[in-house]
Amino acid sequence: MSRLNPYRIGFRTIKTAIGMALGIIIAKLIGLDNFASSAILVVLCIKHTKVHSLQAIVSRFVSCFMILILGSVIFSLLGQNAVVLGLIVLLFIPLTVVFKVQEGVVTSCVILLHVFNAKTIDVHLFVNEILLLIVGLGIAFLMNLIMPSLDGTLKHFKKQIEDQYTQIFETFSEKCKVPNQTLNIPFDDLQLTIQKAKSIAFRDVKNHFVRNENSYYHYFDMREEQLDLMRRIALMIESIEMKDCLLDQLSQLLAEVAHNVNSNDYTALRLHSLYEIRIELNQLDLPTSREMFRTRASLLQLLNELEEYLVVKSQFGSLKYHNGTNTVTN
């Protein structure tokens, strides 16, 4: 037996309910015919973001204005009957595609039915429908100006991702001390978390009319790029077959990275430590066995991947919050 979804009232549901009630009250107070249709306009234009809402409102207003003119002219010429109604819809829907306002087809059909049922098609009908659009779409726009801040959610995702990065690098550090070990790190779960965070950051961009980018989105994008490098680092650690004199230094470096995941201040210092290990690796005697050769090759590749990890962050810079302050992260 299938389980029912948990009952909850979201912020968008509250806005829709209030908007519908206001639409009907205002339209009725003005004395508009078909005043209940203003509630339909509100429902269709309540969106998840301000930008999407504005796009929906513009699309619906244009399409409704088009159908109002088209319906009034054709009904006046051919009569108000079902066949003519179907003909208008047949002509109108392709027209909305041409003008890229097909999102407003459903709303336009409501206006078209008002014209279809009108006793007389005159200026009063035209003004009535325009006022209905202004009331319904206007209230929807005002409702969508009220959007909950996503900063708290984004900060939560940021901390969650940084905590997991810290745990992963601590695991890397420990495993460098124990060669030829398999790492069981939930990279796929972390990837999903980052993708969710990017989705919310992108939605936050769409909640601002004058902002076309989001520092959080670039931050999570940077973390996703680092995640690919961490996957390769894990493969290199698993490829280490025997104990090497540089493993202790590498383990210490990975521990430093783990302890400073949320800091950008020491990136240059860690790169300096990495270069010192690489110089020392180049000065060592050549390997005397296949196992040692493969281990040295894995160490060299690991240093390359770790260097790229640090460079990615140094190129990102700082995370700018919406209030103008900065936070530095690694």
Side-chain angles (χ1 to χ4, degrees):
M1 184 177 179
S2 60
R3 297 176 59 185
L4 297 176
N5 291 327
Y7 180 81
R8 61 187 294 268
I9 298 177
F11 191 67
R12 185 183 176 190
T13 303
I14 295 174
K15 290 195 301 182
T16 301
I18 295 175
M20 288 179 66
L22 286 175
I24 293 176
I25 292 172
I26 294 175
K28 189 174 182 180
L29 286 175
I30 295 175
L32 300 179
D33 298 329
N34 302 304
F35 57 84
S37 296
S38 62
I40 299 176
L41 298 173
V42 173
V43 172
L44 294 175
C45 291
I46 295 290
K47 300 294 182 181
H48 289 291
T49 68
K50 295 178 183 178
V51 173
H52 289 154
S53 173
L54 183 60
Q55 292 171 345
I57 289 171
V58 172
S59 176
R60 282 170 170 77
F61 186 84
V62 172
S63 62
C64 287
F65 191 78
M66 289 168 54
I67 197 66
L68 186 57
I69 296 175
L70 187 65
S72 298
V73 172
I74 296 179
F75 279 138
S76 297
L77 294 175
L78 302 180
Q80 293 163 274
N81 58 72
V83 175
V84 175
L85 177 68
L87 177 63
I88 294 173
V89 173
L90 187 65
L91 296 174
F92 175 68
I93 293 179
L95 196 61
T96 61
V97 176
V98 172
F99 287 95
K100 299 180 180 179
V101 292
Q102 59 268 33
E103 188 178 3
V105 168
V106 176
T107 312
S108 301
C109 289
V110 175
I111 301 299
L112 179 61
L113 290 174
H114 291 173
V115 180
F116 175 74
N117 290 320
K119 294 180 180 179
T120 56
I121 300 175
D122 52 15
V123 176
H124 172 76
L125 174 66
F126 195 89
V127 172
N128 183 85
E129 299 305 311
I130 292 297
L131 289 176
L132 269 179
L133 289 173
I134 292 174
V135 171
L137 300 181
I139 290 175
F141 178 74
L142 293 176
M143 289 293 104
N144 275 292
L145 289 179
I146 308 171
M147 287 287 181
S149 174
L150 296 175
D151 279 358
T153 303
L154 293 170
K155 289 178 182 178
H156 171 75
F157 271 112
K158 175 179 175 293
K159 185 178 185 308
Q160 181 181 354
I161 291 169
E162 289 176 352
D163 288 345
Q164 292 184 57
Y165 271 49
T166 297
Q167 295 174 6
I168 290 173
F169 274 102
E170 287 176 348
T171 302
F172 287 167
S173 177
E174 291 298 321
K175 290 301 181 181
C176 278
K177 301 175 184 178
V178 187
N180 203 16
Q181 292 288 318
T182 302
L183 295 173
N184 295 316
I185 299 175
F187 285 119
D188 291 339
D189 292 342
L190 182 53
Q191 176 86 39
L192 182 61
T193 300
I194 294 175
Q195 289 175 351
K196 289 180 179 178
K198 287 178 66 176
S199 176
I200 293 176
F202 182 76
R203 193 172 75 184
D204 188 57
V205 174
K206 296 299 182 181
N207 272 334
H208 300 84
F209 297 120
V210 296
R211 185 191 305 162
N212 58 8
E213 64 177 16
N214 185 293
S215 294
Y216 274 112
Y217 184 87
H218 295 302
Y219 169 79
F220 294 130
D221 193 49
M222 178 271 296
R223 287 301 187 191
E224 190 170 33
E225 186 176 353
Q226 285 185 321
L227 182 61
D228 291 334
L229 294 166
M230 291 164 65
R231 291 178 187 269
R232 297 203 288 267
I233 291 174
L235 291 176
M236 294 304 103
I237 293 176
E238 290 177 339
S239 300
I240 296 175
E241 299 182 17
M242 58 181 297
K243 190 69 176 178
D244 190 277
C245 58
L246 295 179
L247 282 176
D248 288 338
Q249 292 176 251
L250 183 58
S251 175
Q252 182 178 355
L253 176 59
L254 290 169
E256 291 177 5
V257 174
H259 296 152
N260 295 278
V261 163
N262 62 347
S263 171
N264 192 47
D265 298 338
Y266 301 103
T267 300
L269 293 176
R270 288 193 291 275
L271 281 169
H272 180 72
S273 299
L274 185 148
Y275 297 146
E276 287 184 340
I277 297 175
R278 181 179 289 163
I279 292 173
E280 188 173 343
L281 177 63
N282 292 334
Q283 293 174 345
L284 292 175
D285 295 334
L286 292 175
T288 57
S289 66
R290 290 185 178 181
E291 291 80 4
M292 185 178 293
F293 178 82
R294 288 194 290 265
T295 295
R296 290 281 173 84
S298 297
L299 285 175
L300 181 60
Q301 184 62 32
L302 196 159
L303 290 173
N304 291 338
E305 302 294 355
L306 184 58
E307 178 186 14
E308 183 64 22
Y309 172 92
L310 296 173
V311 168
V312 166
K313 178 58 191 72
S314 65
Q315 292 175 344
F316 171 77
S318 299
L319 174 62
K320 295 181 180 180
Y321 287 134
H322 305 331
N323 59 11
T325 59
N326 293 349
T327 181
V328 284
T329 51
N330 180 36

